[in-house]
Amino acid sequence: MSTNMEKLLILQERDLKILKLKREARDIPARKAEIEGRLKSHQQAFDEATHNLKSHKTSIQQVEGEIEALNQKILKFREQQLQIKDNTAYKALEKEIFATRQEIRTAEDRELVLMEEMEDLKRVIAEKEKSLKDEQAIVQKDNARLDQRAQDIEAEIHRLESDRQDLTRDIEKPLLSRYERILKHVGDYALVPIEKGACGGCHMNLPPQVIHDTQKGMDVLSCNFCGRILYWAP
Ligand SMILES: [Zn+2]
């Protein structure tokens, strides 16, 4: 293998690392958004539970209001009874009072059921609140980890790029720009070994002459299918 090719291979190793790191850095915002989404669904569940309890409390207040009104009704009936001398009318009112008391009992039963349900709702809220808090802690950690990773990536890319700069100084300019053009085009390996008579990049069979010349290091040859630069790796 020519020294040019050896240098290009070292350069390619750095470039592929840079590419991989850049891809990872590019994906970080999406990963953070996904994490935030997870938190959002926990927040929604908690808000929903809180809302349910609130509307339940309103229902209980309504029933209590009804009971209060019914009690007032009974008091009025009693006042009316005090002023009535007629026995039939008095009894009719007594009937009304009895019916109202029944209504109160029904409302009280309803209130009792609502109270019991409220205990369940409170338990649900406590559960949702706990899982929200747990998730918040996890999200905070995940976000901090991703921020740290983004910083590390940036530093690593910086280091690799300056390393790359030094490497390119020793490579012939036309070969370097040929390599860079192919790398940009294929997005992965610009240099590939010949594997069992085929291109190591696209796996198409290569003409014997290309294989021979590459093996002898006579010229820097490209695969005529994918354009990648070929090298001989014994
Ligand atoms: Zn190829």
Side-chain angles (χ1 to χ4, degrees):
M1 201 189 297
S2 70
T3 39
N4 256 328
M5 203 55 93
E6 278 165 4
K7 284 172 193 162
L8 269 186
L9 275 171
I10 298 169
L11 183 67
Q12 168 162 277
E13 188 251 338
R14 303 289 191 283
D15 281 343
L16 291 179
K17 266 188 194 161
I18 292 172
L19 274 174
K20 199 173 158 230
L21 289 169
K22 280 186 174 168
R23 267 184 215 126
E24 194 188 336
R26 206 186 44 212
D27 289 344
I28 286 179
R31 287 172 69 191
K32 286 184 104 173
E34 189 220 342
I35 288 167
E36 292 294 336
R38 235 164 52 206
L39 185 61
K40 211 171 160 187
S41 72
H42 278 83
Q43 181 70 53
Q44 275 170 350
F46 173 70
D47 290 348
E48 201 183 298
T50 312
H51 174 80
N52 284 346
L53 180 67
K54 209 174 151 192
S55 68
H56 217 76
K57 277 182 181 164
T58 310
S59 300
I60 290 172
Q61 278 168 358
Q62 272 169 359
V63 176
E64 280 171 351
E66 278 171 38
I67 294 169
E68 174 62 22
L70 290 168
N71 277 318
Q72 289 298 325
K73 212 170 146 186
I74 290 174
L75 283 179
K76 271 201 188 113
F77 287 146
R78 288 274 178 242
E79 277 170 25
Q80 282 171 352
Q81 276 181 327
L82 291 176
Q83 281 144 33
I84 285 172
K85 305 279 180 279
D86 176 21
N87 202 30
T88 320
Y90 186 92
K91 275 188 172 163
L93 279 172
E94 199 59 36
K95 245 183 170 176
E96 291 279 2
I97 289 169
F98 183 78
T100 310
R101 281 217 176 106
Q102 284 294 109
E103 275 184 71
I104 290 175
R105 232 163 278 146
T106 311
E108 279 172 348
D109 286 347
R110 220 162 7 109
E111 190 185 6
L112 210 65
V113 172
L114 286 169
M115 294 281 225
E116 276 167 12
E117 283 172 355
M118 196 164 78
E119 289 313 305
D120 290 337
L121 289 174
K122 278 181 180 168
R123 240 187 330 266
V124 171
I125 286 186
E127 278 166 22
K128 301 288 178 202
E129 191 176 17
K130 189 185 179 307
S131 65
L132 175 62
K133 279 196 174 140
D134 289 349
E135 194 61 32
Q136 273 167 340
I138 295 169
V139 163
Q140 211 173 8
K141 255 189 206 161
D142 284 352
N143 271 334
R145 196 170 41 78
L146 284 174
D147 287 340
Q148 183 59 52
R149 182 66 191 142
Q151 270 184 35
D152 292 347
I153 288 174
E154 205 182 326
E156 181 69 359
I157 287 176
H158 191 74
R159 193 185 65 76
L160 286 165
E161 272 174 350
S162 93
D163 194 14
R164 166 184 213 285
Q165 202 70 31
D166 295 339
L167 289 167
T168 55
R169 266 185 226 120
D170 292 338
I171 302 168
E172 288 165 20
K173 287 282 162 281
L175 183 60
L176 178 65
S177 46
R178 184 171 154 195
Y179 159 83
E180 284 177 339
R181 210 173 43 243
I182 299 167
L183 181 70
K184 205 173 166 189
H185 177 67
V186 296
D188 48 43
Y189 291 84
L191 302 180
V192 288
I194 294 176
E195 290 169 345
K196 291 177 188 158
C199 164
C202 68
H203 309 293
M204 297 292 279
N205 283 318
L206 296 162
Q209 191 63 42
V210 172
I211 299 169
H212 175 266
D213 290 354
T214 306
Q215 188 174 7
K216 296 279 169 248
M218 291 168 76
D219 199 3
V220 178
L221 292 169
S222 284
C223 163
N224 35 354
F225 300 102
C226 68
R228 289 181 176 92
I229 298 170
L230 300 163
Y231 67 89
W232 185 258

